[in-house]
Amino acid sequence: MEEKLWEYIDGTCNEQDKATIAGLIESDEQWRNAFNSMLEMESELSAVTLEEPTMAFSYNVMEAIRNEQAAKPLKTKINKYIITSIAGVLLLTLGILSFLLFEGAMRSIGNHSLDIHIQQINSSALINSTAWKAFIYFDIMLLLFFADRLIRRRSNDDVVKSV
């Protein structure tokens, strides 16, 4: 009964329920008393004003949140094992490349011959190969990454020194 009456007072019930409840309020004393008490409660609730915090309180809370977030520098977490493995692959690749480039020179020195045949190495095949281009691209990306990290570290140190 209370649920139906609240729907009637709020105006959320359909037309058929509205007509049925209006008829029950007029004919039944129990429904009428419940309806009147709910109307009184509704009028008392609408007369109460809600208290709001002062503007200074809201400002102080927002400042505290802003200061807390500013105190924590945003950093991405980098796994050191990944960085060391990338450096290892880079060094291994450089070692293999240097071995391949100077293999002819090493053989000739081993035979006590000082004649170095650089023409034997097909440098145009190395420069045009996809693997070589990927290797250069990877090196450039690592260089940019480390430069960015260095710049960020220096700017963070400057911020800490100024505070």
Side-chain angles (χ1 to χ4, degrees):
M1 177 172 82
E2 288 180 8
E3 185 178 329
K4 293 288 186 185
L5 284 173
W6 279 118
E7 288 176 1
Y8 179 77
I9 291 171
D10 292 338
T12 57
C13 60
N14 58 29
E15 294 297 323
Q16 182 183 5
D17 288 343
K18 190 182 279 187
T20 305
I21 293 171
L24 286 171
I25 290 171
E26 290 179 15
S27 64
D28 191 1
E29 185 68 27
Q30 183 181 5
W31 278 78
R32 189 177 314 120
N33 290 337
F35 177 72
N36 289 334
S37 67
M38 286 182 178
L39 277 179
E40 288 176 21
M41 187 185 311
E42 177 77 19
S43 64
E44 288 175 6
L45 286 175
S46 62
V48 173
T49 58
L50 298 176
E51 293 184 19
E52 294 181 10
T54 62
M55 289 298 289
F57 176 77
S58 299
Y59 177 77
N60 291 339
V61 168
M62 293 306 291
E63 276 300 309
I65 292 171
R66 193 175 299 124
N67 289 337
E68 181 180 327
Q69 289 177 350
K72 298 177 187 174
L74 298 175
K75 280 188 172 180
T76 58
K77 185 173 181 172
I78 299 172
N79 192 346
K80 291 184 181 182
Y81 295 113
I82 293 175
I83 299 299
T84 54
S85 64
I86 290 172
V89 167
L90 177 67
L91 290 174
L92 181 67
T93 307
L94 284 174
I96 291 172
L97 182 63
S98 63
F99 175 74
L100 291 176
L101 287 175
F102 297 108
E103 182 182 7
M106 285 185 232
R107 284 186 189 164
S108 65
I109 290 172
N111 294 333
H112 302 290
S113 171
L114 296 176
D115 188 22
I116 299 173
H117 300 286
I118 297 178
Q119 291 82 12
Q120 292 176 359
I121 299 171
N122 189 0
S123 61
S124 63
L126 286 175
I127 292 172
N128 292 334
S129 71
T130 307
W132 179 250
K133 290 178 184 176
F135 175 73
I136 295 295
Y137 177 76
F138 179 73
D139 288 345
I140 290 171
M141 294 307 290
L142 276 177
L143 177 68
L144 289 174
F145 171 75
F146 286 124
D148 179 59
R149 188 172 178 191
L150 179 68
I151 291 169
R152 284 179 190 237
R153 184 180 298 153
R154 286 187 181 172
S155 67
N156 286 342
D157 290 344
D158 292 342
V159 169
V160 170
K161 288 178 185 177
S162 66
V163 174

